[in-house]
Amino acid sequence: MNRPFDGYRDDGPLARAIRAPSVPGLPSILLVAVGVCALGATLGTADRPDAPRVIVGVGTFVLFGILSRSATSSRLDFLVAALLRLGEYGAVTWVAWRTGQLGPPLLALLLVVGFHHYEVAYRWIGIGQRPPVWRDLAGLGWEGRTTLLVVAGATSILSPTLLVLTVWCGGWFVGESAAYWRRRSRLPDVVDLERI
Amino acid sequence: MPRRAAAPRERSPVRGVVTGDRGGALLFALTARSDADLPAALVDVGGRSALERLSGQLRGLGFSRVTVLTRSDWVPAFRQLPGVDVVVAGEDRRTLEHVSSLARSAEGTVLLAHADVVVNDLALRGVLDDPRIHTGVLPVDPGEALPDGDDEAAGVLVVGERDREDLSAVAGSGEFGVTTTDPLSLLLRGLEQRSVPVGTVPFDTYVSSRPRSAAEGREVVSRLAKLDEELIRLDAAVKSEDSLFATFFVSPYSKFVARWAARRGFTPNQVTVASLVVAFAAAVAFSMGDRSALFAGSLLLQVSFTLDCVDGQLARYTFGFTSFGAWLDGVSDRVKEFGVYFGLASGAGSEPVWGLAAMALAVLVVRHYVDFGYASTEGDAATGMVQAGSSDGEPRRPAIAASLVRLARGAGRQPALSWAKRVLPLPIGERFLLISVTAVLGGPEATFLALIVWGTLALAYMTAGRVARALTS
């Protein structure tokens, strides 16, 4: 088995800035799985985003996720990106729920982030190209968005943060995709993408 | 490394007719004789020789120069044919030298064929024009008695531009590992040994024959006359591995919509955009929230899905699919779906439903990412596209995982189970149907609950399957 496509990770500036040491015998998937379990366990037993255990849970998820960038590979590494998605979408929805902010801004942000994640995947599967690195950096990455929104929830500024982040991320993601579309649409070539 | 784009060709937008010079064509008339002891290429096929027929087809497909390679005593027989260059081959070695030099010197595609092969236009076009096939083979009808007794003999071999170097190397080396006097089969084996992916005709039904007598020639002509190429092309436009709902309830009529669209000159991407617009109308209807609006939204969503099937069928029908179209199709499917989620949640207007919508979205993304991640680890390292024949080494087989894989493969052989396997992962057709039905019967909350429950089951099923395969491969 090859290593999974690393563009699926969606690492942002924080993850890329940290030069994590590679711990032998600790595969990426194990780190991320532990991170997601810690996140699930702490969020499941806390009822407010400013509870100390939330900091521990989210911190573990983000830190272990970042460490998994350079950890040893294994056959199950293909699950890493999916678990990063689970942690991010789950944590953000939980924070909105616990602060009474379930509403259009939450779904709007997740749809914008979801658009980003799918578009990167289809570009890679269909055309074999990846977006420029600045797009992942501008979008803050899974770790940046998760951290920012949990902190915003804990400090009671979730609602404006959701709006600003939606507009910010949406602008970069959709803008870069549209520019790509315009450049690309004139070039015919091959490949049939199976419907999924 | 990213996949290289195929050389852009000029096409008329509707029918995809290729203009200009496509490449070099080399036809072999070496040993095959007719029952009258003449070259088999001169057997009469509907009023002209098999060779005249084939070279006419090839010129129509853009091969402006057609060369026949033959033996010296047969040269006079071929000299009078218009538009055909005749070249004398020596022994086997020399034959392959001609191939090698053509592969080096030709621009574009190299087409190699037996000079006596009779094929229908669509089959030839399929091997040449289907963008999924770069290098491809058109086999001769199985079961026919062939001079060398080879069952899977090639009638036509098309070698795409980026495999020409391999062809040249194969023809130059003379190392094939099999003994046969058929140069096409030799070259085909050689290409396969060099791991060049070789595709085959994208149609179930076609005529490809090497008649040896006037009687056989007449028989082939009658088979050609019976062939309904229009219908074959339409059936091939329907994806063979599509979901249950798409296969039985949408494709049977959407393929006729696709043909209509092809005749009107619509492009697949235009249909994709139309599907997007209808889905947005559905989302707006869902956002109004009352019963009749939900009903209208559900209906519009199904229309949108039909158009979504049409765009792919239109693309296959016109040989016009592009990787850009694939990207657009994928992205627009998600944009439609997201619009519908937002519309449904707005229509419900209660706080918990926004949360359910977020959860349904999370389940969808995670499930697809399991799939994307897995796909990118197998086959072509660059794109995750699977290529045949890449397995090597003795696999380790943990017992439980291996039995899971066996179970899954066994299920694939039973029709009912095989359909269940396709429905359980909740592909887009089933998902949109689930949305439409639950929205009408129970409203948005029911829809999101159904998506979450079924989506989670699908996630568990798909993850288990991929984990098992990853551990056993």
Side-chain angles (χ1 to χ4, degrees), chain A residues 1-2 4-5 8 75 78 85 102 111 115 117-119 121-124 126 128 181 184 189-190 192 194-195, chain B residues 2 131 239 308 316 321-324 327 330 334 338 351 354 364 368-369 372-373 376-377 379 382 470-471 473:
Chain A
M1 296 230 336
N2 303 302
F5 171 49
Y8 286 156
R75 284 162 176 257
F78 70 93
R85 299 297 92 89
L102 291 177
L111 293 180
F115 169 82
H117 287 144
Y118 277 111
E119 202 268 331
Y122 292 138
R123 201 185 292 195
W124 182 249
W181 171 341
R184 184 77 205 177
D189 72 320
V190 298
D192 191 19
E194 286 300 304
R195 190 182 302 281
Chain B
K239 195 183 308 174
D308 189 28
R316 280 181 283 274
F321 41 70
T322 62
S323 55
F324 174 74
W327 173 82
R334 296 294 85 76
F338 289 5
E351 205 183 293
W354 289 103
L364 188 73
H368 277 141
Y369 256 77
F372 297 153
S376 76
T377 62
L471 293 177
S473 69

Side-chain angles (χ1 to χ4, degrees), chain B residues 34-398:
Chain B
S34 69
D35 60 348
D37 211 27
L38 286 168
L42 295 179
V43 165
D44 184 83
V45 181
R48 54 190 170 156
S49 71
L51 172 58
E52 272 179 288
R53 186 179 177 281
L54 180 61
S55 61
Q57 279 177 308
L58 293 176
R59 271 195 304 279
L61 286 164
F63 290 94
S64 55
R65 270 191 55 219
V66 177
T67 307
V68 176
L69 198 63
T70 189
R71 35 202 272 191
S72 52
D73 54 325
W74 284 0
V75 168
F78 294 122
R79 269 285 146 81
Q80 64 269 34
L81 292 176
V84 175
D85 298 333
V86 182
V87 172
V88 179
E91 297 137 29
D92 270 6
R93 274 294 184 148
R94 289 286 312 281
T95 306
L96 296 175
E97 273 168 30
H98 285 288
V99 173
S100 178
S101 85
L102 178 70
R104 280 195 306 273
S105 64
E107 303 257 317
T109 303
V110 170
L111 180 141
L112 307 167
H114 291 293
D116 51 45
V117 74
V118 178
V119 296
N120 64 309
D121 292 334
L122 185 64
L124 204 50
R125 264 204 69 188
V127 178
L128 281 165
D129 277 355
D130 191 314
R132 290 165 297 190
I133 301 170
H134 189 65
T135 287
V137 63
L138 211 164
V140 178
D141 289 344
E144 275 193 26
L146 288 161
D148 46 22
D150 200 331
D151 317 326
E152 290 179 60
V156 180
L157 177 63
V158 171
V159 180
E161 186 147 27
R162 49 171 202 267
D163 296 331
R164 271 199 343 236
E165 232 172 85
D166 282 300
L167 176 67
S168 170
V170 167
S173 73
E175 292 163 17
F176 305 103
V178 283
T179 52
T180 162
T181 53
D182 175 0
L184 283 187
S185 296
L186 278 176
L187 294 165
L188 183 60
R189 301 271 163 83
L191 287 173
E192 280 169 350
Q193 276 171 18
R194 292 176 76 92
S195 305
V196 172
V198 180
T200 185
V201 208
F203 305 108
D204 291 336
T205 313
Y206 58 93
V207 170
S208 167
S209 184
R210 299 179 65 187
R212 287 283 173 277
S213 65
E216 285 180 20
R218 279 191 298 277
E219 190 260 338
V220 174
V221 169
S222 82
R223 276 167 56 205
L224 283 170
K226 275 186 228 137
L227 218 54
D228 186 347
E229 293 198 334
E230 169 88 16
L231 194 66
I232 294 168
R233 198 169 159 191
L234 210 51
D235 285 340
V238 177
K239 195 183 308 174
S240 55
E241 288 280 300
D242 218 336
S243 66
L244 184 76
F245 180 60
T247 303
F248 291 115
F249 297 96
V250 181
S251 294
Y253 69 91
S254 70
K255 65 183 180 185
F256 295 105
V257 182
R259 186 177 61 180
W260 174 83
R263 287 178 177 166
R264 292 297 301 264
F266 290 112
T267 67
N269 290 352
Q270 285 170 335
V271 178
T272 305
V273 172
S275 169
L276 194 61
V277 170
V278 176
F280 273 132
V284 170
F286 282 139
S287 73
M288 294 174 187
D290 60 276
R291 256 276 149 70
S292 53
L294 286 175
F295 185 75
S298 296
L299 221 55
L300 286 168
L301 185 61
Q302 293 310 307
V303 174
S304 172
F305 179 67
T306 298
L307 290 172
D308 189 28
C309 292
V310 168
D311 66 8
Q313 288 165 354
L314 178 61
R316 280 181 283 274
Y317 184 78
T318 57
F319 298 115
F321 41 70
T322 62
S323 55
F324 174 74
W327 173 82
L328 181 67
D329 194 26
V331 171
S332 76
D333 277 353
R334 296 294 85 76
V335 170
K336 281 177 238 174
E337 195 157 6
F338 289 5
V340 166
Y341 282 25
F342 204 90
L344 276 170
S346 307
S350 79
E351 205 183 293
V353 177
W354 289 103
L356 290 177
M359 284 167 68
L361 174 72
V363 170
L364 188 73
V365 174
V366 172
R367 180 156 64 80
H368 277 141
Y369 256 77
V370 169
D371 201 39
F372 297 153
Y374 183 78
S376 76
T377 62
E378 58 176 11
D380 185 349
T383 60
M385 279 176 284
V386 184
Q387 286 179 350
S390 61
S391 67
D392 48 2
E394 198 56 33
R396 274 194 306 140
R397 285 192 178 277

Side-chain angles (χ1 to χ4, degrees), chain A residues 2 45 63 103 110 112 169 172 194:
Chain A
N2 303 302
T45 54
L63 184 69
L110 291 183
V112 159
C169 286
W172 292 118
E194 286 300 304

Side-chain angles (χ1 to χ4, degrees), chain B residues 243-244 367 416-428 430-431 434 450-451 453-462 464:
Chain B
S243 66
L244 184 76
R367 180 156 64 80
L417 270 173
S418 151
W419 282 115
K421 270 178 65 185
R422 288 199 212 170
V423 172
L424 185 57
L426 199 57
I428 185 166
E430 277 74 356
R431 206 158 64 236
L434 183 69
L451 286 171
V453 171
W454 196 335
T456 306
L457 287 174
L459 170 63
Y461 169 75
M462 284 172 61

Side-chain angles (χ1 to χ4, degrees), chain A residues 127-150:
Chain A
I127 308 177
Q129 291 178 343
R130 55 195 303 167
V133 172
W134 65 255
R135 177 167 147 172
D136 278 359
L137 293 176
L140 304 182
W142 62 271
E143 82 290 6
R145 291 186 300 267
T146 306
T147 309
L148 181 67
L149 289 167
V150 172

